[in-house]
Amino acid sequence: MLQLHAADFFVFERGPGGVLIRTVGNRNLSWTGIARTFLCLTARYWAASTYGVVGSGRKVLTADLLTDFSTVLGVPVGA
Protein backbone atom coordinates (compact mmCIF):
# COMPACT_ATOMS: atom_id res chain seq x y z
CA MET A 1 0.00 0.00 0.00
CA LEU A 2 1.27 3.46 -0.90
CA GLN A 3 1.77 5.72 2.07
CA LEU A 4 1.84 9.47 1.62
CA HIS A 5 3.43 11.79 4.12
CA ALA A 6 2.80 15.50 4.60
CA ALA A 7 6.28 16.30 3.27
CA ASP A 8 5.39 14.63 -0.06
CA PHE A 9 2.93 17.42 -0.80
CA PHE A 10 5.60 20.11 -0.49
CA VAL A 11 8.20 18.80 -2.93
CA PHE A 12 8.51 21.36 -5.70
CA GLU A 13 10.38 21.31 -8.98
CA ARG A 14 13.33 23.54 -9.74
CA GLY A 15 11.52 25.25 -12.61
CA PRO A 16 9.54 28.49 -12.60
CA GLY A 17 6.43 27.00 -10.97
CA GLY A 18 8.41 25.65 -8.04
CA VAL A 19 10.22 28.94 -7.57
CA LEU A 20 6.94 30.88 -7.47
CA ILE A 21 5.29 28.50 -5.00
CA ARG A 22 8.35 28.59 -2.71
CA THR A 23 8.37 32.40 -2.92
CA VAL A 24 4.71 32.61 -1.92
CA GLY A 25 5.35 29.96 0.74
CA ASN A 26 8.03 32.20 2.24
CA ARG A 27 5.19 34.61 2.97
CA ASN A 28 3.61 31.92 5.20
CA LEU A 29 0.79 31.09 2.80
CA SER A 30 -0.49 27.55 2.45
CA TRP A 31 -2.15 26.43 -0.79
CA THR A 32 -5.52 27.51 0.60
CA GLY A 33 -4.04 30.81 1.74
CA ILE A 34 -2.60 31.31 -1.72
CA ALA A 35 -6.00 30.69 -3.32
CA ARG A 36 -7.74 33.14 -0.97
CA THR A 37 -5.09 35.83 -1.41
CA PHE A 38 -5.17 35.51 -5.19
CA LEU A 39 -8.97 35.78 -5.14
CA CYS A 40 -8.86 38.98 -3.09
CA LEU A 41 -6.11 40.62 -5.14
CA THR A 42 -6.88 39.43 -8.67
CA ALA A 43 -10.63 38.59 -8.54
CA ARG A 44 -9.74 35.23 -10.11
CA TYR A 45 -10.18 31.93 -8.25
CA TRP A 46 -8.04 28.88 -8.85
CA ALA A 47 -8.42 25.77 -6.72
CA ALA A 48 -5.83 25.42 -3.97
CA SER A 49 -4.65 22.15 -5.50
CA THR A 50 -3.86 23.99 -8.74
CA TYR A 51 -1.05 25.84 -6.99
CA GLY A 52 0.31 22.55 -5.68
CA VAL A 53 0.47 20.97 -9.11
CA VAL A 54 2.06 24.11 -10.58
CA GLY A 55 4.75 23.87 -7.93
CA SER A 56 5.37 20.19 -8.59
CA GLY A 57 5.57 20.75 -12.35
CA ARG A 58 2.51 18.70 -13.27
CA LYS A 59 0.66 21.78 -14.58
CA VAL A 60 2.13 24.28 -16.98
CA LEU A 61 2.54 27.80 -15.66
CA THR A 62 0.11 29.70 -17.89
CA ALA A 63 0.18 33.41 -18.67
CA ASP A 64 -2.87 33.93 -16.45
CA LEU A 65 -1.20 32.26 -13.47
CA LEU A 66 2.04 34.15 -14.05
CA THR A 67 0.13 37.44 -14.13
CA ASP A 68 -1.64 36.53 -10.89
CA PHE A 69 1.66 35.65 -9.20
CA SER A 70 3.21 38.92 -10.32
CA THR A 71 0.26 40.85 -8.89
CA VAL A 72 0.40 39.09 -5.53
CA LEU A 73 4.19 39.28 -5.25
CA GLY A 74 4.36 42.87 -6.46
CA VAL A 75 6.75 42.09 -9.31
CA PRO A 76 6.20 43.54 -12.80
CA VAL A 77 5.41 40.88 -15.40
CA GLY A 78 8.20 42.06 -17.70
CA ALA A 79 10.90 41.89 -15.01
Side-chain angles (χ1 to χ4, degrees):
M1 176 187 268
L2 178 67
Q3 288 187 343
L4 296 176
H5 302 283
D8 295 335
F9 293 102
F10 298 101
V11 177
F12 304 118
E13 68 165 11
R14 290 186 163 188
V19 170
L20 289 172
I21 293 296
R22 283 192 301 273
T23 303
V24 176
N26 286 339
R27 283 147 177 85
N28 294 324
L29 292 174
S30 63
W31 293 350
T32 305
I34 293 170
R36 289 178 179 174
T37 303
F38 277 46
L39 176 63
C40 291
L41 294 177
T42 66
R44 187 185 339 237
Y45 180 77
W46 300 89
S49 60
T50 301
Y51 299 104
V53 294
V54 165
S56 67
R58 292 179 286 163
K59 179 172 175 47
V60 177
L61 184 63
T62 63
D64 290 339
L65 278 170
L66 184 59
T67 302
D68 292 350
F69 273 103
S70 68
T71 300
V72 170
L73 296 173
V75 178
V77 177

